Amino acid sequence: MAYIDYYKILGIDKNASADDIKKAYRKLARKYHPDLNPNDKEANKKFQQINEANEVLSDPANRKKYDQYGENWQHAEQFEKAQQQQNSRAHAGNFQEREFSGDFGNEEFSDFFQSMFGGSESRGRSRNVKFRGEDYQAELHLSLASAYNMHQQMLTVNAKNIRITIPAGVENGQVIKLKGYGGPGINGGPAGDLYITFILADDAKFKRSGNDLYTTVDLDLYTALLGGELTIDSLSGKLKLKVQPETQNGTKIRLKGKGFPIYKKEGEFGDLYITYSIKIPVNLTEKQKELFRELSKMK
């Protein structure tokens, strides 16, 4: 994986505070968000880099490793362990090798990395340590309607296009793992994994709670009084409702099995809860007003 300067990506310096990092990330994430830049591959790539930079620099432990080891920060523990082993052997007289102390400079670390892990010979014997590639993190933004159905979608990670099948019923914040789709291994080691976090946008009509859906449906006064049939939109298509006479404003009904699909349980759904909101007629004619006056006298 090519080296990326996370500080440069966020437009901050190395002395930036945690608050500076948060502000820079939010500003850039809004600017390059896929919803605001549809079909813009460069903006999408930039958005991925911004998220990657924020994930590293917003974590104090990871930021410390990144500041010390740069692009190889994910392998910091392995490097330090190998360094300790090398220094121990040097003190024991097994071989002469200069000792390292304090922070590594970029050039020093590169030399150390090559000598310890790059397969160079030491006393005529090749050393070749394999390391697993780094894990990648990505976000995939979905509408509630798209999460309702199983579908395929293209995701761009580290300039590579990956087509994934998204099961119906994924939840906001849910994370799935794609094994082997992370960074390449070092010295023939296995590739890392790709972790995808689903971000579901709020829907204008439906509110989701677990596998249940909630919505408010307008009901005209005459149907509320006399009863009748009403056709409404749902995520699965049109639904016909039978309205009981004298339905009160705020009445709630439940449609069993008409809610959100249950993740990885084919054919199983939550429920749909409907709240009726009765609308008072406006712009009445004189005849209509007279009829209501007559009705009011009959109370």
Side-chain angles (χ1 to χ4, degrees):
M1 180 179 176
Y3 174 65
I4 299 176
D5 188 334
Y6 292 145
Y7 290 102
K8 186 176 180 180
I9 288 293
L10 295 181
I12 56 178
D13 60 41
K14 291 189 175 182
N15 296 320
S17 66
D19 192 49
D20 292 334
I21 294 172
K22 183 185 296 184
K23 289 179 180 178
Y25 166 71
R26 288 179 175 176
K27 180 180 178 180
L28 292 172
R30 284 194 296 267
K31 180 178 179 181
Y32 292 100
H33 196 284
D35 290 348
L36 300 178
N37 300 274
N39 302 318
D40 188 334
K41 293 183 179 179
E42 286 302 314
N44 187 273
K45 180 180 179 181
K46 185 73 173 177
F47 183 72
Q48 298 290 345
Q49 291 177 340
I50 291 166
N51 276 290
E52 182 180 326
N54 180 64
E55 287 169 2
V56 174
L57 298 184
S58 63
D59 184 298
N62 286 341
R63 182 182 180 183
K64 182 178 179 181
K65 293 177 183 177
Y66 178 77
D67 288 343
Q68 184 172 353
Y69 296 101
E71 62 187 296
N72 299 301
W73 69 273
Q74 292 247 3
H75 303 287
E77 292 181 4
Q78 294 98 316
F79 295 160
E80 290 172 354
K81 183 177 180 180
Q83 175 200 346
Q84 292 171 0
Q85 292 175 347
Q86 181 173 334
N87 287 341
S88 176
R89 288 170 182 156
H91 286 302
N94 290 337
F95 57 86
Q96 291 299 317
E97 191 79 30
R98 70 186 181 103
E99 295 185 24
F100 296 97
S101 60
D103 292 349
F104 288 104
N106 289 337
E107 185 176 351
E108 288 178 318
F109 185 82
S110 179
D111 292 341
F112 172 71
F113 179 79
Q114 289 295 328
S115 65
M116 293 303 295
F117 305 112
S120 61
E121 290 187 356
S122 175
R123 297 189 66 178
R125 188 162 55 94
S126 175
R127 298 172 57 94
N128 194 20
V129 182
K130 296 181 179 180
F131 288 101
R132 180 177 176 274
E134 66 177 298
D135 292 333
Y136 287 166
Q137 306 286 338
E139 289 184 355
L140 186 55
H141 293 253
L142 301 173
S143 65
L144 192 66
S146 63
Y148 184 89
N149 297 297
M150 182 174 71
H151 66 286
Q152 289 190 332
Q153 191 159 332
M154 189 72 75
L155 180 66
T156 303
V157 178
N158 214 39
K160 292 183 179 180
N161 292 327
I162 301 172
R163 185 180 297 277
I164 64 173
T165 298
I166 302 173
V170 294
E171 296 187 13
N172 184 47
Q174 182 175 345
V175 179
I176 65 171
K177 180 178 76 172
L178 297 183
K179 186 175 179 61
Y181 280 86
I186 296 175
N187 292 332
D193 300 326
L194 170 61
Y195 291 86
I196 301 174
T197 301
F198 292 104
I199 307 297
L200 271 61
D202 292 334
D203 189 86
K205 287 187 177 180
F206 299 95
K207 180 181 178 181
R208 180 184 180 186
S209 178
N211 298 308
D212 296 328
L213 293 174
Y214 295 81
T215 188
T216 299
V217 172
D218 290 340
L219 188 63
D220 67 82
L221 179 62
Y222 310 108
T223 304
L225 289 171
L226 304 174
E229 285 191 346
L230 182 67
T231 301
I232 67 168
D233 292 321
S234 75
L235 294 178
S236 61
K238 300 287 185 181
L239 293 177
K240 279 189 176 182
L241 304 179
K242 185 175 182 180
V243 182
Q244 297 297 320
E246 301 179 6
T247 294
Q248 300 297 306
N249 186 52
T251 296
K252 295 181 180 180
I253 64 171
R254 182 183 74 157
L255 300 182
K256 186 175 177 61
K258 296 298 182 181
F260 216 71
I262 299 176
Y263 183 70
K264 288 194 174 180
K265 291 188 177 181
E266 188 175 355
E268 296 188 30
F269 294 79
D271 300 329
L272 172 60
Y273 291 85
I274 295 173
T275 300
Y276 286 126
S277 175
I278 298 175
K279 295 301 178 183
I280 303 299
V282 296
N283 301 320
L284 297 176
T285 65
E286 282 302 319
K287 184 176 181 179
Q288 288 172 324
K289 291 179 182 178
E290 185 60 32
L291 289 172
F292 277 111
R293 291 190 189 103
E294 290 295 324
L295 286 172
S296 69
K297 293 176 182 179
M298 297 172 65
K299 300 191 290 185

